[in-house]
C-alpha cells in the first residue's frame, strides 16, 4: 500500500523523526485556518501518490492565510499524472536552507534484504543523479536477521561525505528511518529532501509504502488515516487509455469484459482483476480505486459468482455508492453464488443490474455516450 505524505509524516512523528509543523486541508477555507495556526509562511503541498509533483507544479508557497487559500484553489484545479488533487498539506516553510540530502530504504526483493541509499545530492533531481552520477549515491544492504546499529548508520553518513561534525546527526536520521521502515513492515521509506538549516536537519518530505500482508500484526496503524491510501498493490490493476473501467473477478472474465467494451466501440480505462474469491472488502477497495482515476467515466463491474458471493458484491456497491457522491454510473453484471440475495440487495437500493455480460457491456458503452 502506497501512502500519502501526510500519513507518512504521522508515522515519522511517532518515530521521532523531525518534521515541519503541518496540517491536512480539504478546502481553501481549511487551508487558511491551518496557516493561521502555523503563523509562518507555508508550503501548500498537493497530496498525490505520483512522484515528481514538484516539477508538475504540485507544491506552491504562501505567506498569508488568504494566499494559502488561493494556492489551494489553484492546486484543486490540477491533475498530476492522472491524480486529481483533492487534499493539500499545509506545512511550515523550511527557511534558510543550506543544502539537501537524500535518504531512502527499499526492500530489494532480489537480494531479499533492505537496501539503504543515501546521497548529499538530494532534491527533485535525484533520479538524474542516479542516472548520470551513480557514484554519488551510497548503497548498503542490511542483514534482516541482525539488528541495525546506530554506528552502522553513522558509517553510511561518513561515506556520504557529510562534515565530520554532522555525521552523528545525519546518521541518527538514517537509523530512525530504518526503525520506522522495520517497525511498520514498509517496502519503501524515503526522505527527499533531508534539509540542512542553521538550526539542524529536518525531513521536509516523506514517502512510505507498507506491505499489505503485514497489516494484521500492526494494530497501531489504525491510528493513522488510511482511508484514502492506494491499496492497489495486491490487486491486478492496470490503467489504460479508455474511459470505461472494467472490474472482474478473474483474469479471463475481466479480459472478456474488456473485449466486449471494444467490440461495442469503446476502450477500457482499466484492467482490474479482484480475483476469483474476492470478498466484500476487496470489491469495495476496487471500486474506490477506479473512482480515483480521472479518466473513468463509467464503471463496468462484471461478476460471475463462484467463491465470490453475489450478496458481498452487492453490499460493496451499496456501501461505495453511499460514501461517494459521484455522477459516474456503475453498470453491474451479477450472477452466480447467492445471486438472488445479491440482486435483492441491489433492487432494494434502486441500483440496476444485468445478468447478461453482453447486455451490461452495451449499457456501459451507452452510458458513456449519455444514453
Amino acid at each position: 500500500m502506497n501512502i500519502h505524505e501526510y500519513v507518512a509524516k504521522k508515522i515519522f512523528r511517532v518515530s521521532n523523526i523531525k518534521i515541519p509543523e503541518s496540517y491536512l486541508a480539504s478546502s481553501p477555507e481549511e487551508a487558511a485556518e491551518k496557516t493561521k495556526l502555523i503563523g509562518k509562511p507555508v508550503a501548500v503541498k498537493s497530496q498525490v501518490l505520483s512522484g515528481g509533483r514538484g516539477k508538475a507544479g504540485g507544491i506552491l508557497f504562501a505567506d498569508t492565510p488568504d494566499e494559502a487559500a488561493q494556492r489551494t484553489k489553484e492546486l484543486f484545479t490540477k491533475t498530476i499524472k492522472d491524480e486529481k488533487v483533492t487534499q493539500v498539506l499545509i506545512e511550515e516553510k523550511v527557511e534558510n536552507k543550506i543544502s539537501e540530502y537524500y535518504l531512502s530504504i527499499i526492500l530489494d526483493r532480489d537480494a531479499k534484504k533492505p537496501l539503504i541509499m543515501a546521497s548529499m545530492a538530494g532534491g527533485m533531481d535525484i533520479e538524474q543523479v542516479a542516472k548520470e552520477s551513480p557514484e554519488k549515491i551510497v548503497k548498503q544492504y542490511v542483514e534482516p536477521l541482525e539488528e541495525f546499529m546506530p554506528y552502522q548508520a553513522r558509517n553510511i553518513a561518513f561515506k556520504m561525505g557529510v562534515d565530520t561534525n554532522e555525521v552523528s546527526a545525519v546518521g541518527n536520521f538514517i537509523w530512525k528511518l530504518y526503525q520506522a521502515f522495520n517497525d511498520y513492515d514498509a517496502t519503501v521509506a524515503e526522505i527527499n529532501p533531508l534539509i540542512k538549516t542553521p538550526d539542524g536537519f529536518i525531513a521536509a518530505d516523506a514517502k512510505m509504502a507498507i506491505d499489505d500482508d503485514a497489516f494484521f500484526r500492526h494494530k497501531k496503524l489504525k491510528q493513522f488515516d488510511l482511508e484514502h491510501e492506494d491499496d492497489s498493490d495486491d490487486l491486478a490493476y492496470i490503467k489504460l487509455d479508455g474511459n470505461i473501467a472494467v472490474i472482474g473477478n478473474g483474469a479471463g472474465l475481466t479480459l472478456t469484459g474488456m473485449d466486449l467494451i471494444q467490440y461495442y466501440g469503446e476502450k477500457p480505462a482499466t484492467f482490474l482483476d479482484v480475483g476469483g474469491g474476492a470478498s466484500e472488502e476487496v470489491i469495495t477497495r476496487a471500486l474506490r480505486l477506479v473512482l480515483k482515476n480521472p479518466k473513468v467515466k463509467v464503471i463496468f463491474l462484471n461478476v460471475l459468482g463462484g467463491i465470490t458471493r453475489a450478496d458481498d458484491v452487492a453490499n460493496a456497491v451499496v456501501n461505495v455508492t453511499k460514501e461517494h457522491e459521484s455522477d459516474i454510473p456503475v453498470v453491474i453484471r451479477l450472477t452466480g453464488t447467492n445471486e438472488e440475495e445479491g440482486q435483492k440487495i441491489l433492487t432494494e437500493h434502486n441500483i440496476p443490474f444485468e445478468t447478461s455480460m453482453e447486455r451490461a457491456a452495451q449499457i456501459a458503452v451507452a452510458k458513456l455516450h449519455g444514453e
Side-chain angles (χ1 to χ4, degrees), residues 9-46:
K9 280 187 170 170
K10 288 180 181 180
I11 294 175
F12 278 17
R13 185 178 292 114
V14 299
S15 302
N16 295 315
I17 297 173
K18 187 178 179 182
I19 58 173
E21 183 179 1
S22 60
Y23 302 94
L24 188 67
S26 300
S27 69
E29 294 76 18
E30 191 176 3
E33 290 174 9
K34 300 306 183 185
T35 303
K36 285 181 184 177
L37 195 60
I38 292 174
K40 297 178 181 179
V42 298
V44 184
K45 309 171 79 174
S46 58

Side-chain angles (χ1 to χ4, degrees), residues 60-355:
L60 303 175
F61 297 94
D63 293 327
T64 66
D66 287 345
E67 196 175 346
Q70 183 59 40
R71 296 293 176 266
T72 301
K73 286 181 182 179
E74 291 176 30
L75 289 174
F76 282 178
T77 66
K78 289 182 177 288
T79 298
I80 299 174
K81 294 186 179 179
D82 294 337
E83 288 188 69
K84 185 170 177 55
V85 179
T86 59
Q87 294 179 307
V88 295
L89 190 66
I90 303 298
E91 182 173 272
E92 175 187 352
K93 183 179 178 182
V94 180
E95 305 275 19
N96 302 318
K97 177 174 63 178
I98 297 173
S99 57
E100 297 182 346
Y101 299 167
Y102 170 80
L103 304 179
S104 175
I105 305 168
I106 64 168
L107 180 62
D108 187 326
R109 298 188 185 278
D110 290 332
K112 299 181 177 63
K113 297 177 183 179
L115 174 63
I116 297 176
M117 295 181 287
S119 176
M120 291 184 68
M124 289 192 293
D125 296 323
I126 188 63
E127 291 86 359
Q128 187 175 348
V129 172
K131 183 179 179 180
E132 298 178 359
S133 306
E135 72 280 357
K136 292 183 178 180
I137 300 178
V138 175
K139 297 182 180 181
Q140 181 170 315
Y141 284 103
V142 177
E143 292 298 330
L145 299 181
E146 298 178 5
E147 184 178 0
F148 181 63
M149 303 297 290
Y151 79 87
Q152 293 173 295
R154 291 194 294 271
N155 284 341
I156 294 173
F158 180 78
K159 291 177 183 177
M160 287 169 61
V162 301
D163 292 342
T164 304
N165 60 349
E166 296 170 353
V167 165
S168 180
V170 175
N172 193 39
F173 269 90
I174 295 171
W175 185 78
K176 286 181 177 179
L177 184 64
Y178 182 81
Q179 301 313 305
F181 175 90
N182 192 53
D183 287 348
Y184 290 91
D185 283 297
T187 55
V188 175
E190 179 181 283
I191 301 172
N192 185 32
L194 174 67
I195 293 182
K196 176 184 176 182
T197 74
D199 298 322
F201 292 89
I202 190 165
D205 196 10
K207 179 180 179 180
M208 288 190 78
I210 297 171
D211 187 347
D212 297 62
D213 292 333
F215 275 7
F216 74 94
R217 61 171 172 252
H218 290 299
K219 294 182 180 179
K220 55 189 174 183
L221 279 171
K222 293 181 180 179
Q223 68 184 292
F224 305 118
D225 177 15
L226 299 178
E227 180 182 353
H228 302 287
E229 304 314 298
D230 178 7
D231 49 6
S232 63
D233 285 353
D234 60 344
L235 296 173
Y237 179 50
I238 300 172
K239 293 181 181 179
L240 303 168
D241 294 332
N243 299 113
I244 300 177
V246 179
I247 305 173
N249 62 321
L253 198 63
T254 308
L255 289 168
T256 302
M258 293 169 63
D259 286 344
L260 283 170
I261 294 298
Q262 294 191 96
Y263 177 78
Y264 291 118
E266 284 299 335
K267 295 180 179 180
T270 69
F271 167 94
L272 205 173
D273 173 18
V274 296
S279 63
E280 177 181 336
E281 178 188 4
V282 172
I283 298 290
T284 299
R285 287 168 50 204
L287 289 167
R288 287 173 178 165
L289 192 58
V290 297
L291 282 168
K292 294 178 185 177
N293 186 339
K295 287 186 177 179
V296 172
K297 307 303 179 186
V298 178
I299 297 173
F300 174 27
L301 179 59
N302 184 22
V303 175
L304 173 61
I307 302 174
T308 300
R309 293 170 27 181
D311 53 332
D312 284 343
V313 175
N315 283 324
V317 172
V318 169
N319 291 337
V320 173
T321 301
K322 286 180 178 179
E323 71 183 36
H324 286 272
E325 294 184 2
S326 172
D327 57 358
I328 297 176
V330 181
V331 181
I332 307 162
R333 179 267 184 133
L334 186 62
T335 59
T337 305
N338 288 4
E339 66 178 51
E340 291 183 2
E341 292 90 334
Q343 293 168 1
K344 181 180 178 182
I345 291 169
L346 293 175
T347 300
E348 288 174 349
H349 289 85
N350 297 315
I351 299 174
F353 63 88
E354 298 292 331
T355 56

